[in-house]
Amino acid sequence: MKYKFSLLIAAAGLMLGSCKPTVQSDNTVTVSPEAGTSYKAGEAVSVKAHYPQNVKPDSIVYLVDSVRVGSMKDSSALSLKTDSMHLGPRVITAKVYQGGKSQEGSTNIVLLPAKAPQQFTFKVIKTFPHDTTCFTEGLVYQDGVFYESGGGYLKPPQGQQVTNQSSLRKVDPATGKVLKKIMLDSAVFGEGISIVGNKIIQLTYHEKVGYVYDKETFAKLSTFPNNVGVEGWGMCFDGTKLYMDDSTNRIWFLDKDTYKQIGFIDVYDDKGPVNSINELEYIDGKLYANIWETNNIIVIDPKTGAVLEKIDLTSLYPEDKRSPGADVLNGIAYDAAGKRIFITGKKWPHVYQVEFLKK
Protein backbone atom coordinates (compact mmCIF):
# COMPACT_ATOMS: atom_id res chain seq x y z
CA MET A 1 0.00 0.00 0.00
CA LYS A 2 2.82 2.35 0.93
CA TYR A 3 4.52 1.50 -2.40
CA LYS A 4 1.34 2.30 -4.34
CA PHE A 5 0.91 5.57 -2.43
CA SER A 6 4.49 6.60 -3.31
CA LEU A 7 3.82 5.92 -6.97
CA LEU A 8 0.69 8.07 -6.84
CA ILE A 9 2.62 10.92 -5.25
CA ALA A 10 5.35 10.68 -7.90
CA ALA A 11 2.78 10.65 -10.73
CA ALA A 12 1.01 13.66 -9.26
CA GLY A 13 4.34 15.45 -9.06
CA LEU A 14 5.02 14.79 -12.71
CA MET A 15 1.56 16.08 -13.65
CA LEU A 16 1.96 19.23 -11.59
CA GLY A 17 5.41 19.76 -13.02
CA SER A 18 4.10 19.53 -16.53
CA CYS A 19 1.53 22.28 -15.79
CA LYS A 20 4.14 24.81 -14.69
CA PRO A 21 4.91 27.63 -17.19
CA THR A 22 8.18 27.07 -19.00
CA VAL A 23 10.61 29.52 -20.57
CA GLN A 24 10.76 29.23 -24.36
CA SER A 25 14.14 28.13 -25.59
CA ASP A 26 13.62 29.26 -29.19
CA ASN A 27 13.70 32.81 -30.50
CA THR A 28 10.16 33.00 -31.87
CA VAL A 29 8.91 36.56 -32.17
CA THR A 30 5.21 37.39 -32.57
CA VAL A 31 3.59 40.77 -33.02
CA SER A 32 0.25 42.15 -31.89
CA PRO A 33 -2.40 43.22 -32.88
CA GLU A 34 -3.87 40.01 -34.26
CA ALA A 35 -3.47 39.62 -38.02
CA GLY A 36 -6.39 40.96 -40.03
CA THR A 37 -7.60 43.44 -37.40
CA SER A 38 -9.33 46.47 -38.98
CA TYR A 39 -8.69 50.08 -38.01
CA LYS A 40 -10.02 53.42 -39.21
CA ALA A 41 -7.57 55.84 -40.83
CA GLY A 42 -6.25 58.24 -38.19
CA GLU A 43 -6.76 55.74 -35.38
CA ALA A 44 -3.62 54.90 -33.38
CA VAL A 45 -2.57 51.23 -33.38
CA SER A 46 -0.83 49.77 -30.33
CA VAL A 47 1.93 47.54 -31.72
CA LYS A 48 3.94 45.22 -29.50
CA ALA A 49 6.58 42.55 -30.02
CA HIS A 50 6.32 39.36 -27.97
CA TYR A 51 9.41 37.21 -27.48
CA PRO A 52 10.72 34.49 -25.11
CA GLN A 53 11.68 35.43 -21.57
CA ASN A 54 15.29 34.48 -22.20
CA VAL A 55 15.63 37.19 -24.84
CA LYS A 56 16.97 40.51 -23.55
CA PRO A 57 16.76 42.88 -26.55
CA ASP A 58 19.17 45.70 -27.21
CA SER A 59 16.43 47.32 -29.32
CA ILE A 60 13.22 46.52 -31.19
CA VAL A 61 12.70 48.17 -34.57
CA TYR A 62 9.22 48.40 -36.10
CA LEU A 63 8.48 48.64 -39.81
CA VAL A 64 5.32 49.09 -41.87
CA ASP A 65 5.59 47.63 -45.37
CA SER A 66 9.39 47.50 -44.93
CA VAL A 67 9.62 51.20 -43.96
CA ARG A 68 10.93 51.94 -40.46
CA VAL A 69 8.34 53.72 -38.30
CA GLY A 70 9.90 53.58 -34.83
CA SER A 71 11.91 51.66 -32.23
CA MET A 72 11.77 50.70 -28.57
CA LYS A 73 14.33 49.51 -26.01
CA ASP A 74 12.01 47.00 -24.39
CA SER A 75 8.65 45.29 -24.84
CA SER A 76 6.66 48.48 -24.38
CA ALA A 77 4.01 49.03 -27.05
CA LEU A 78 4.62 51.42 -29.93
CA SER A 79 1.74 53.77 -30.78
CA LEU A 80 1.53 53.66 -34.57
CA LYS A 81 -0.05 56.62 -36.35
CA THR A 82 -2.17 55.78 -39.41
CA ASP A 83 -3.39 59.16 -40.66
CA SER A 84 -0.89 59.29 -43.55
CA MET A 85 -1.00 55.61 -44.53
CA HIS A 86 -2.57 54.20 -47.68
CA LEU A 87 -5.70 52.15 -47.12
CA GLY A 88 -5.90 48.38 -47.23
CA PRO A 89 -3.60 45.66 -45.83
CA ARG A 90 -0.46 46.96 -44.13
CA VAL A 91 2.26 44.58 -42.96
CA ILE A 92 3.81 45.36 -39.58
CA THR A 93 7.19 43.81 -38.75
CA ALA A 94 9.13 43.84 -35.48
CA LYS A 95 12.87 43.17 -35.57
CA VAL A 96 14.29 42.20 -32.17
CA TYR A 97 18.05 42.86 -31.95
CA GLN A 98 20.28 41.15 -29.38
CA GLY A 99 24.05 40.86 -29.46
CA GLY A 100 24.36 41.95 -33.08
CA LYS A 101 21.79 39.41 -34.27
CA SER A 102 18.09 39.82 -34.96
CA GLN A 103 14.89 37.80 -35.01
CA GLU A 104 11.68 39.12 -36.49
CA GLY A 105 7.96 38.54 -36.53
CA SER A 106 5.11 40.09 -38.50
CA THR A 107 1.40 40.75 -38.44
CA ASN A 108 -0.95 42.76 -40.62
CA ILE A 109 -3.80 45.20 -40.20
CA VAL A 110 -6.46 46.42 -42.62
CA LEU A 111 -6.81 50.19 -42.75
CA LEU A 112 -10.26 51.54 -43.69
CA PRO A 113 -11.49 55.11 -44.28
CA ALA A 114 -12.41 57.05 -41.18
CA LYS A 115 -15.87 57.89 -42.51
CA ALA A 116 -18.59 56.25 -44.58
CA PRO A 117 -19.06 57.77 -48.06
CA GLN A 118 -21.47 60.66 -48.37
CA GLN A 119 -24.59 59.61 -50.27
CA PHE A 120 -25.54 61.57 -53.41
CA THR A 121 -28.28 61.49 -55.99
CA PHE A 122 -28.49 63.43 -59.28
CA LYS A 123 -30.44 65.82 -61.46
CA VAL A 124 -30.51 65.65 -65.27
CA ILE A 125 -29.61 69.02 -66.79
CA LYS A 126 -29.72 68.05 -70.47
CA THR A 127 -29.95 64.97 -72.70
CA PHE A 128 -27.86 64.31 -75.82
CA PRO A 129 -28.18 61.52 -78.42
CA HIS A 130 -25.80 58.56 -78.27
CA ASP A 131 -24.99 55.87 -80.82
CA THR A 132 -26.60 52.63 -79.60
CA THR A 133 -24.05 50.54 -81.51
CA CYS A 134 -21.25 51.74 -79.23
CA PHE A 135 -20.43 49.45 -76.32
CA THR A 136 -18.91 52.33 -74.35
CA GLU A 137 -15.66 51.58 -72.51
CA GLY A 138 -14.10 55.05 -72.34
CA LEU A 139 -15.47 58.58 -72.71
CA VAL A 140 -13.57 61.88 -72.77
CA TYR A 141 -14.77 65.44 -73.48
CA GLN A 142 -12.28 67.87 -75.01
CA ASP A 143 -12.39 70.77 -77.49
CA GLY A 144 -16.18 70.62 -77.75
CA VAL A 145 -16.38 66.93 -78.77
CA PHE A 146 -16.53 63.49 -77.22
CA TYR A 147 -13.78 60.95 -77.78
CA GLU A 148 -15.16 57.48 -77.19
CA SER A 149 -13.77 53.97 -77.07
CA GLY A 150 -16.14 51.13 -77.90
CA GLY A 151 -15.41 47.52 -76.96
CA GLY A 152 -16.23 44.26 -78.66
CA TYR A 153 -14.90 41.13 -80.37
CA LEU A 154 -15.69 39.85 -83.85
CA LYS A 155 -13.00 37.19 -83.51
CA PRO A 156 -12.79 36.62 -79.76
CA PRO A 157 -10.27 34.48 -77.89
CA GLN A 158 -11.50 31.05 -76.89
CA GLY A 159 -14.20 31.32 -74.25
CA GLN A 160 -15.10 34.94 -75.06
CA GLN A 161 -18.40 35.98 -76.60
CA VAL A 162 -18.73 37.38 -80.13
CA THR A 163 -19.95 40.99 -79.93
CA ASN A 164 -19.55 44.05 -82.12
CA GLN A 165 -16.14 45.27 -83.28
CA SER A 166 -14.10 47.64 -81.12
CA SER A 167 -13.65 51.22 -82.27
CA LEU A 168 -12.24 54.63 -81.47
CA ARG A 169 -14.46 57.56 -82.40
CA LYS A 170 -14.88 61.32 -82.28
CA VAL A 171 -18.47 62.44 -81.72
CA ASP A 172 -20.47 65.65 -81.95
CA PRO A 173 -22.27 65.91 -78.57
CA ALA A 174 -25.21 67.94 -79.90
CA THR A 175 -26.20 65.50 -82.64
CA GLY A 176 -24.51 62.24 -81.66
CA LYS A 177 -22.99 62.18 -85.16
CA VAL A 178 -19.72 60.26 -85.44
CA LEU A 179 -17.21 62.68 -86.94
CA LYS A 180 -14.30 60.25 -87.18
CA LYS A 181 -13.98 56.55 -86.47
CA ILE A 182 -11.46 53.77 -86.81
CA MET A 183 -12.07 50.08 -86.16
CA LEU A 184 -9.67 48.00 -84.08
CA ASP A 185 -8.47 44.56 -85.05
CA SER A 186 -11.45 42.19 -84.85
CA ALA A 187 -9.63 40.06 -82.25
CA VAL A 188 -8.93 43.03 -79.93
CA PHE A 189 -11.31 44.41 -77.31
CA GLY A 190 -10.90 48.18 -76.86
CA GLU A 191 -11.13 49.62 -73.36
CA GLY A 192 -10.54 52.93 -71.54
CA ILE A 193 -8.97 56.00 -73.16
CA SER A 194 -7.22 59.21 -72.11
CA ILE A 195 -5.88 62.23 -73.95
CA VAL A 196 -2.33 63.35 -73.20
CA GLY A 197 -1.37 66.41 -75.25
CA ASN A 198 -1.99 65.58 -78.91
CA LYS A 199 -2.19 61.83 -78.29
CA ILE A 200 -5.00 59.43 -77.43
CA ILE A 201 -4.02 56.48 -75.24
CA GLN A 202 -6.23 53.37 -75.44
CA LEU A 203 -6.17 50.23 -73.29
CA THR A 204 -7.23 46.73 -74.32
CA TYR A 205 -9.14 44.18 -72.25
CA HIS A 206 -7.17 40.91 -72.31
CA GLU A 207 -4.60 41.62 -75.00
CA LYS A 208 -1.98 43.22 -72.67
CA VAL A 209 -1.21 45.96 -75.19
CA GLY A 210 -1.97 49.68 -75.36
CA TYR A 211 -2.32 51.92 -78.41
CA VAL A 212 -1.17 55.49 -78.97
CA TYR A 213 -2.95 57.55 -81.67
CA ASP A 214 -2.62 61.00 -83.12
CA LYS A 215 -5.56 62.91 -81.65
CA GLU A 216 -6.41 64.72 -84.90
CA THR A 217 -5.96 62.02 -87.50
CA PHE A 218 -6.41 58.83 -85.39
CA ALA A 219 -3.27 57.49 -87.03
CA LYS A 220 -1.71 54.83 -84.83
CA LEU A 221 1.65 56.16 -83.66
CA SER A 222 2.83 53.26 -81.49
CA THR A 223 1.90 50.43 -79.19
CA PHE A 224 3.18 49.57 -75.73
CA PRO A 225 3.12 46.44 -73.57
CA ASN A 226 0.62 46.76 -70.74
CA ASN A 227 1.39 44.11 -68.14
CA VAL A 228 0.19 46.26 -65.24
CA GLY A 229 -2.64 44.68 -63.28
CA VAL A 230 -5.03 41.86 -64.09
CA GLU A 231 -6.74 43.35 -67.16
CA GLY A 232 -7.11 46.68 -68.94
CA TRP A 233 -10.31 48.53 -67.91
CA GLY A 234 -10.70 52.27 -67.26
CA MET A 235 -8.28 55.15 -67.67
CA CYS A 236 -8.04 58.90 -67.00
CA PHE A 237 -5.42 61.67 -66.79
CA ASP A 238 -4.87 64.37 -64.16
CA GLY A 239 -2.44 66.47 -66.19
CA THR A 240 0.58 64.79 -64.61
CA LYS A 241 0.02 61.04 -64.57
CA LEU A 242 -2.38 58.45 -65.93
CA TYR A 243 -4.69 56.36 -63.76
CA MET A 244 -5.69 52.83 -64.80
CA ASP A 245 -7.86 50.16 -63.19
CA ASP A 246 -7.89 46.43 -63.84
CA SER A 247 -11.19 44.87 -62.54
CA THR A 248 -10.08 44.80 -58.87
CA ASN A 249 -10.08 47.56 -56.23
CA ARG A 250 -6.62 48.74 -57.32
CA ILE A 251 -5.96 51.89 -59.33
CA TRP A 252 -2.52 52.04 -60.92
CA PHE A 253 -0.50 55.18 -61.64
CA LEU A 254 1.22 55.22 -65.03
CA ASP A 255 3.90 57.53 -66.40
CA LYS A 256 2.26 59.75 -69.02
CA ASP A 257 5.07 59.23 -71.53
CA THR A 258 6.25 55.65 -70.98
CA TYR A 259 2.95 54.16 -69.68
CA LYS A 260 4.91 52.22 -67.07
CA GLN A 261 3.74 51.77 -63.49
CA ILE A 262 4.85 54.45 -61.02
CA GLY A 263 2.54 53.66 -58.09
CA PHE A 264 -0.96 52.63 -57.04
CA ILE A 265 -3.75 53.02 -54.51
CA ASP A 266 -6.24 50.45 -53.24
CA VAL A 267 -9.83 51.64 -53.04
CA TYR A 268 -11.76 51.09 -49.79
CA ASP A 269 -14.90 52.38 -48.18
CA ASP A 270 -15.68 52.01 -44.48
CA LYS A 271 -16.84 48.41 -45.02
CA GLY A 272 -13.90 47.07 -47.05
CA PRO A 273 -12.46 46.90 -50.59
CA VAL A 274 -14.54 48.24 -53.48
CA ASN A 275 -13.97 45.98 -56.49
CA SER A 276 -14.88 46.13 -60.20
CA ILE A 277 -13.82 49.77 -60.62
CA ASN A 278 -14.37 50.55 -64.29
CA GLU A 279 -14.52 53.77 -66.33
CA LEU A 280 -12.60 56.64 -64.73
CA GLU A 281 -12.68 60.44 -64.87
CA TYR A 282 -10.57 63.01 -63.03
CA ILE A 283 -12.73 65.90 -61.81
CA ASP A 284 -11.45 68.75 -59.64
CA GLY A 285 -8.81 66.72 -57.82
CA LYS A 286 -10.88 63.57 -57.33
CA LEU A 287 -11.38 60.31 -59.21
CA TYR A 288 -14.90 59.42 -60.36
CA ALA A 289 -15.46 55.76 -61.18
CA ASN A 290 -18.22 53.51 -62.46
CA ILE A 291 -18.62 50.27 -60.51
CA TRP A 292 -19.21 47.55 -63.10
CA GLU A 293 -22.64 45.92 -63.15
CA THR A 294 -24.06 48.46 -60.70
CA ASN A 295 -25.84 51.80 -61.05
CA ASN A 296 -23.30 53.50 -58.80
CA ILE A 297 -20.52 55.98 -59.31
CA ILE A 298 -18.01 56.49 -56.51
CA VAL A 299 -15.74 59.45 -55.81
CA ILE A 300 -12.23 58.49 -54.67
CA ASP A 301 -9.43 60.37 -52.93
CA PRO A 302 -6.50 59.76 -55.33
CA LYS A 303 -3.97 60.11 -52.50
CA THR A 304 -5.39 57.51 -50.10
CA GLY A 305 -7.91 55.41 -52.04
CA ALA A 306 -10.76 56.35 -49.66
CA VAL A 307 -14.27 56.43 -51.13
CA LEU A 308 -15.53 59.91 -50.30
CA GLU A 309 -18.90 59.89 -52.03
CA LYS A 310 -21.32 57.42 -53.58
CA ILE A 311 -23.85 58.41 -56.25
CA ASP A 312 -26.92 56.27 -56.92
CA LEU A 313 -27.98 56.55 -60.57
CA THR A 314 -30.55 53.74 -60.57
CA SER A 315 -33.34 55.95 -61.87
CA LEU A 316 -31.27 57.61 -64.63
CA TYR A 317 -32.06 54.90 -67.19
CA PRO A 318 -33.88 52.15 -65.23
CA GLU A 319 -32.93 48.60 -66.13
CA ASP A 320 -36.56 47.54 -66.67
CA LYS A 321 -37.04 50.34 -69.21
CA ARG A 322 -33.84 49.93 -71.22
CA SER A 323 -34.03 49.18 -74.91
CA PRO A 324 -32.96 45.71 -76.12
CA GLY A 325 -29.18 45.45 -76.18
CA ALA A 326 -28.60 48.33 -73.79
CA ASP A 327 -26.12 47.24 -71.13
CA VAL A 328 -24.72 48.69 -67.91
CA LEU A 329 -23.96 52.24 -66.87
CA ASN A 330 -20.43 53.06 -68.08
CA GLY A 331 -18.97 56.34 -69.25
CA ILE A 332 -18.04 59.54 -67.42
CA ALA A 333 -16.74 62.67 -69.12
CA TYR A 334 -16.04 66.16 -67.79
CA ASP A 335 -16.07 69.56 -69.43
CA ALA A 336 -13.59 71.39 -67.21
CA ALA A 337 -14.28 74.82 -68.75
CA GLY A 338 -18.06 74.53 -68.51
CA LYS A 339 -18.08 72.48 -65.29
CA ARG A 340 -20.34 69.89 -66.93
CA ILE A 341 -20.46 66.19 -66.11
CA PHE A 342 -21.67 63.70 -68.74
CA ILE A 343 -22.86 60.15 -68.07
CA THR A 344 -23.79 57.32 -70.43
CA GLY A 345 -23.79 53.52 -70.69
CA LYS A 346 -22.98 50.68 -73.06
CA LYS A 347 -25.29 50.96 -76.11
CA TRP A 348 -27.42 53.57 -74.38
CA PRO A 349 -29.50 55.92 -76.58
CA HIS A 350 -28.50 59.02 -74.60
CA VAL A 351 -25.66 60.86 -72.95
CA TYR A 352 -26.88 62.72 -69.88
CA GLN A 353 -25.50 65.97 -68.53
CA VAL A 354 -26.03 65.65 -64.79
CA GLU A 355 -25.55 67.48 -61.53
CA PHE A 356 -24.84 65.49 -58.38
CA LEU A 357 -26.82 66.42 -55.25
CA LYS A 358 -26.46 65.41 -51.60
CA LYS A 359 -29.25 63.24 -50.31
Side-chain angles (χ1 to χ4, degrees), residues 65-182:
D65 298 333
S66 301
V67 177
R68 178 175 170 148
V69 293
S71 65
M72 305 295 288
K73 291 292 186 182
D74 53 30
S75 62
S76 300
L78 174 75
S79 181
L80 179 64
K81 295 181 179 180
T82 62
D83 49 353
S84 61
M85 288 186 189
H86 283 188
L87 301 178
R90 306 268 68 89
V91 177
I92 300 172
T93 302
K95 290 188 175 183
V96 179
Y97 289 89
Q98 181 183 24
K101 296 181 179 180
S102 69
Q103 295 289 328
E104 66 179 55
S106 295
T107 188
N108 65 79
I109 62 171
V110 180
L111 196 61
L112 302 176
K115 298 179 181 178
Q118 283 190 298
Q119 300 296 312
F120 279 69
T121 184
F122 68 93
K123 178 172 71 174
V124 175
I125 305 300
K126 195 172 181 179
T127 302
F128 301 89
H130 181 248
D131 184 356
T132 55
T133 69
C134 187
F135 196 76
T136 305
E137 296 294 346
L139 188 67
V140 177
Y141 180 91
Q142 194 174 102
D143 303 326
V145 298
F146 289 130
Y147 293 87
E148 189 169 14
S149 173
Y153 284 123
L154 284 183
K155 294 181 180 179
Q158 187 175 3
Q160 295 293 317
Q161 185 179 358
V162 175
T163 55
N164 51 305
Q165 190 170 350
S166 296
S167 65
L168 176 66
R169 51 183 70 195
K170 179 179 180 179
V171 180
D172 178 4
T175 64
K177 180 181 178 182
V178 178
L179 304 174
K180 186 183 294 291
K181 181 170 72 171
I182 59 168

Side-chain angles (χ1 to χ4, degrees), residues 21 25 41 46 76 82 96 111 121 139 143 148 164 173 206 216 226 231 251 270 272 276 290 294 327 356:
S25 59
S46 180
S76 300
T82 62
V96 179
L111 196 61
T121 184
L139 188 67
D143 303 326
E148 189 169 14
N164 51 305
H206 290 301
E216 298 304 318
N226 182 30
E231 298 170 346
I251 296 178
D270 61 316
S276 297
N290 288 116
T294 77
D327 208 295
F356 296 140

Side-chain angles (χ1 to χ4, degrees), residues 293-323:
E293 292 192 312
T294 77
N295 296 307
N296 299 322
I297 288 175
I298 59 171
V299 181
I300 305 162
D301 183 336
K303 294 180 180 178
T304 65
V307 178
L308 305 174
E309 301 164 14
K310 184 178 180 180
I311 306 146
D312 183 355
L313 291 124
T314 300
S315 61
L316 177 63
Y317 186 30
E319 294 180 38
D320 60 353
K321 296 181 180 178
R322 290 178 189 172
S323 57

